[in-house]
């Protein structure tokens, strides 16, 4: 670095230049963006995304984002396309082709194939008169913003704009399809994000695994139920089957004197904290942390109060929450 600049100065300059490029991109978008979204929505097949070099890396990410948000999509490498992968495209698909110059030679066969078989094509380039844009059914023009490298030759601002444009297309399609977090989880069940979108019903224990007794149950039987089910807790139901209490280790200690002479109703803590089956598991973790408890009985808020399941903190930790 020079005496007057630092690495931090360079970082801030690069980010400022790319931020300005994104501002210019937003201002430059027009009706052709709507046309591109409509073209993708009309596809009965997939969105085939292609690009070479840095545009290819961006194309892969755009295809992945589309696929994970409800728009079937696939990346096709233009060089591989010329050696057989053109067969991955078919009528009913829509092609989204990326090239900053619009004259990338490796894209020639992809472009020709879409024209030959009437596959609609959306072109993304910075040159409105380029071959790619002229051949496209819809052309999305990137503004000629300065590259952040200072020399104008390293794809920086241009790739950032293309990436943002792909995100804009994906989100527009999401909103039209009313794509929800639950839908997203279906495409992305693994990892931290999938865990955050888990519902209580996905993790809870139910059926025979549920530790339950009635209020009239004698404490010796209650202790057996707690021991057999292994959660260190038991739910207590009333005559109508609704959850009316819970017995924990703390309740046992508080009633140690003559414990075995009591019934469950005499030992239980009334009105226990519960969670709905449709709540996010992350919300259940927050409740358990706030109340300093390790499990929650699951009760439908619109139901008859009957316990549907039990969620333990260990179930949440197992999937990466907590």
């Amino acid at each position: 670095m020079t005496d007057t600049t630092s690495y931090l100065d360079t970082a801030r300059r690069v980010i400022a230049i790319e931020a300005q490029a994104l501002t210019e991109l937003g201002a430059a978008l027009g009706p052709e963006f709507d046309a591109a979204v409509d073209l993708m929505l009309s596809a009965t097949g997939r969105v085939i995304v292609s690009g070479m070099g840095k545009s290819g890396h961006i194309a892969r990410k755009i295809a992945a984002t589309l696929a994970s948000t409800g728009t079937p999509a696939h990346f096709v490498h233009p060089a591989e396309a010329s050696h057989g992968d053109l067969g991955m495209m078919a009528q009913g698909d829509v092609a989204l082709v990326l090239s900053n110059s619009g004259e990338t030679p490796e894209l020639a066969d992809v472009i020709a194939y879409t024209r030959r078989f009437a596959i609609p094509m959306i072109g993304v380039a910075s040159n409105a008169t380029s071959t790619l844009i002229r051949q496209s059914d819809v052309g999305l023009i990137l503004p000629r913003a300065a590259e952040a490298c200072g020399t104008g030759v390293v794809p920086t601002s241009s790739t950032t704009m293309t990436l943002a444009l792909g995100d804009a297309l994906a989100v527009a399609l999401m909103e039209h399809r009313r794509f929800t977090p639950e839908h997203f989880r279906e495409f992305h069940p693994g990892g931290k994000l999938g865990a955050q979108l888990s519902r209580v019903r996905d993790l809870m224990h139910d059926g025979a695994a549920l530790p339950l007794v009635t209020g009239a149950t004698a404490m010796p039987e209650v202790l057996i139920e707690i021991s057999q089910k292994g959660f260190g807790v038991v739910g207590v139901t009333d005559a109508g089957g609704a959850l009316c209490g819970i017995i924990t280790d703390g309740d046992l200690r508080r009633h140690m004197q003559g414990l075995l002479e009591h019934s469950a109703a005499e030992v239980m803590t009334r009105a226990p904290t519960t969670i709905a089956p449709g709540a996010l598991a992350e919300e259940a973790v927050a409740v358990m942390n706030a109340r300093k408890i390790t499990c929650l009985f699951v009760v439908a808020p619109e139901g008859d109060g009957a316990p549907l399941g039990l969620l333990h903190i260990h179930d949440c930790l197992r999937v990466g929450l907590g």
Side-chain angles (χ1 to χ4, degrees):
M1 306 304 295
T2 68
D3 293 338
T4 58
T5 64
S6 68
Y7 298 123
L8 185 58
D9 292 331
T10 299
R12 287 172 173 161
R13 185 186 73 246
V14 169
I15 292 170
I17 292 172
E18 295 196 8
Q20 177 59 34
L22 291 177
T23 299
E24 294 176 20
L25 173 63
L29 292 180
E32 68 283 349
F33 183 86
D34 289 339
V37 174
D38 288 338
L39 202 56
M40 290 182 174
L41 287 170
S42 68
T44 56
R46 298 169 300 170
V47 176
I48 305 298
V49 193
S50 189
M52 192 69 189
K54 303 297 188 297
S55 292
H57 295 306
I58 299 300
R60 287 182 185 274
K61 191 276 180 186
I62 292 174
T65 299
L66 289 169
S68 68
T69 54
T71 299
H74 187 74
F75 171 76
V76 171
H77 194 289
E80 297 295 335
S82 300
H83 294 273
D85 282 2
L86 283 172
M88 293 183 178
M89 287 192 284
Q91 290 184 336
D93 293 342
V94 169
L96 175 62
V97 182
L98 316 178
S99 169
N100 187 42
S101 68
E103 301 292 350
T104 304
E106 291 87 352
L107 291 172
D109 288 338
V110 173
I111 295 171
Y113 190 86
T114 66
R115 303 304 83 189
R116 184 181 310 125
F117 293 99
I119 297 172
M121 183 173 67
I122 302 164
V124 178
S126 61
N127 184 355
T129 62
S130 64
T131 301
L132 174 58
I133 298 300
R134 285 188 287 105
Q135 293 290 330
S136 296
D137 297 284
V138 176
L140 298 176
I141 312 301
L142 301 174
R144 289 187 172 277
E147 298 286 13
C149 62
T151 63
V153 297
V154 180
T156 46
S157 298
S158 56
T159 50
T160 298
M161 287 190 292
T162 307
L163 182 63
L165 183 59
D167 287 342
L169 289 167
V171 172
L173 291 163
M174 278 179 59
E175 291 182 353
H176 177 85
R177 293 192 170 103
R178 293 179 171 83
F179 195 82
T180 66
E182 187 67 27
H183 294 136
F184 188 86
R185 183 175 178 271
E186 293 176 4
F187 293 112
H188 200 296
K192 181 69 173 179
L193 190 53
Q196 288 175 334
L197 295 173
S198 296
R199 301 285 176 176
V200 168
R201 68 169 73 92
D202 301 323
L203 303 178
M204 71 183 190
H205 302 269
D206 57 9
L210 204 54
L212 291 174
V213 297
T214 66
T217 303
M219 283 307 298
E221 295 180 47
V222 172
L223 294 176
I224 292 173
E225 180 74 359
I226 293 175
S227 176
Q228 287 181 338
K229 296 301 171 63
F231 295 106
V233 65
V234 68
V236 184
T237 58
D238 61 20
L243 185 72
C244 61
I246 188 173
I247 297 176
T248 67
D249 180 66
D251 296 310
L252 297 179
R253 291 197 304 270
R254 283 189 290 273
H255 295 83
M256 187 65 70
Q257 187 70 32
L259 175 66
L260 299 183
E261 307 301 321
H262 290 294
S263 68
E266 294 169 333
V267 175
M268 71 181 186
T269 296
R270 297 183 180 276
T273 302
T274 61
I275 192 81
L280 287 173
E282 196 171 38
E283 177 186 340
V285 171
V287 172
M288 285 188 271
N289 287 337
R291 300 296 296 269
K292 294 182 172 57
I293 56 180
T294 59
C295 59
L296 289 168
F297 274 91
V298 182
V299 176
E302 70 281 358
D304 57 6
L308 304 177
L310 176 73
L311 182 68
H312 196 280
I313 188 66
H314 290 166
D315 303 315
C316 301
L317 293 174
R318 188 177 64 252
V319 298
L321 295 175

